[in-house]
Amino acid sequence: MATTTPTHPVDDVPPTRHLLAFGLQHVLAMYAGAVAVPLIVGGALRLPPADLAYLITADLLVCGIATLIQCVGVWRFGVRLPIMQGCTFAAVSPMVLIGTEGGGLPAIYGSVIVAGLAIMLLAPVFGRLLRFFPPLVTGTVILIIGLSLLPVAGNWAAGGVGASDFGAPRNLALAAFVLLVVVGVQRFAPVFLSRIAVLVGIVVGLTVAVPLGFTDFGAVGDADWLGISTPFHFGAPAFHLSAILSMLVVALVTMTETTGDLIAVGELTGREVRPRSLADGLRADGFSTVLGGVFNTFPYTAYAQNVGLVGMTRVRSRWVVAAAGGMLVLLGLLPKLGAVVAAIPAPVLGGAGLVMFGTVAASGLRTLARVEFRGNDNLTVVAVSVAVGLLPVGVPTVYAEFPEWFRTVMNSGISAGCLTAITLNLLFNHRRARAGSADAESGGLPGGGVDEGVEEPRGEAR
């Protein structure tokens, strides 16, 4: 009898109704972050409302296309894991500087296109660096990702940064209510509902928020039904050396962040990210960034908040996130639908975000549980990396007096913590072991294995 190979959960296609519900949950989880970048950059450049709306719809369209490429995969583009793509916050400060002082939007888009091409060229190089990401490093990076995102959820819960009623008890009460609904649904509801606990929490929270005056849908009536993004809407790209150099630094940062996110999703889904698949994922990032420069938007990266959603719901299908990408394409083509999603109040997103981002941090702890901490310096690697990663999160102005390139790298807690973890792991676990150890006798790490050098205490014989 012929036997069939069982389908990996990543490749499983759920029923249509489940696909749509799970996909919508991913869209709601990342929407606020996705539109924040064009809002910040467009606001800093003092664009008129029509241009600002155009930036948002273009961003949503390319977010959807980028997500589809990453999940479905086209040739050597796409990691083929449940990865949601969105604009990177690491590029905000450089883009604002370029836009206000270095040539406006054409200079931004020129530098974004060059950065995307550089990412595609460097993708195979980063793929070969995967051996420097053993569980010690990946667990630390996943933990930092979750912890660095928690303040975002906290700001949402308080009403959103800049809100006139920021921190009002009613905002926090609504966020707490949504949090309780999410936890309650996950604990007591049937299996299907428990897997869309975040979506249920957001819908219930929105149902309560509207009559209490937390939001209104007035902007929905003003939005157009159809909006099509055209290449180079704001003019032909301009290529300025200073702008390109600053965006290349951003490219390295986003590649580091994406590497951490891809490894995290690989851990959560049970499909190991190998050098080739990592390179494919980064290559998709680069192509999406080039696409962003052409279609009037910005650099793209994997979104960590959706990593947390994968871990929380335990829905590992990449086709779920591909469905979410399709929804983003629709939102980019139908501004009225986008306006409906944008009307969800921040406290509702905050209550759901606390669960999702906390799940990311907990996943990092689960990975670190596989690491040996006795008789070695692995605890120091984790401690210093977490400290460096959370420093700009707790004190956002800590590097305010440093050069722009330094701030671009270190103001991202994820990239700062990731670089620190890699460096310290190299220092403690990838050098010749101290005299007297079994590794010293063999001239290095046995068999060239990275995990062995991390997992086994230094100085103990095998």
Side-chain angles (χ1 to χ4, degrees), residues 348-372:
V348 172
L349 295 175
L354 288 170
V355 183
M356 293 187 298
F357 303 160
T359 301
V360 178
S363 299
L365 292 176
R366 183 175 61 186
T367 301
L368 287 173
R370 294 160 34 198
V371 177
E372 178 60 67

Side-chain angles (χ1 to χ4, degrees), residues 211-286:
L212 292 179
F214 278 90
T215 187
D216 67 80
F217 293 93
V220 177
D222 298 331
D224 295 329
W225 277 106
L226 182 65
I228 304 218
S229 301
T230 54
F232 306 124
H233 174 80
F234 295 99
F239 300 95
H240 297 172
L241 181 60
S242 59
I244 290 171
L245 290 176
S246 64
M247 203 56 68
L248 288 176
V249 175
V250 171
L252 293 174
V253 172
T254 56
M255 290 180 80
T256 305
E257 290 184 355
T258 297
T259 298
D261 289 332
L262 296 185
I263 292 172
V265 171
E267 292 268 350
L268 292 171
T269 59
R271 172 170 284 178
E272 183 184 357
V273 174
R274 299 184 181 276
R276 174 167 173 159
S277 55
L278 174 59
D280 292 347
L282 292 172
R283 197 176 287 110
D285 257 19

Side-chain angles (χ1 to χ4, degrees), residues 93-94 97 246 249 398-411:
S93 295
L97 192 63
S246 64
V249 175
V398 66
Y399 300 122
E401 300 301 318
F402 284 75
E404 178 69 22
W405 67 267
F406 186 88
R407 295 201 305 271
T408 300
V409 176
M410 298 303 292
N411 270 343

Side-chain angles (χ1 to χ4, degrees), residues 306-332:
N306 295 88
V307 175
L309 191 55
V310 170
M312 178 188 164
T313 62
R314 298 185 294 280
V315 176
R316 296 179 280 176
S317 171
R318 61 190 171 107
W319 298 106
V320 164
V321 181
M327 293 177 193
L328 286 174
V329 171
L330 282 177
L331 291 174

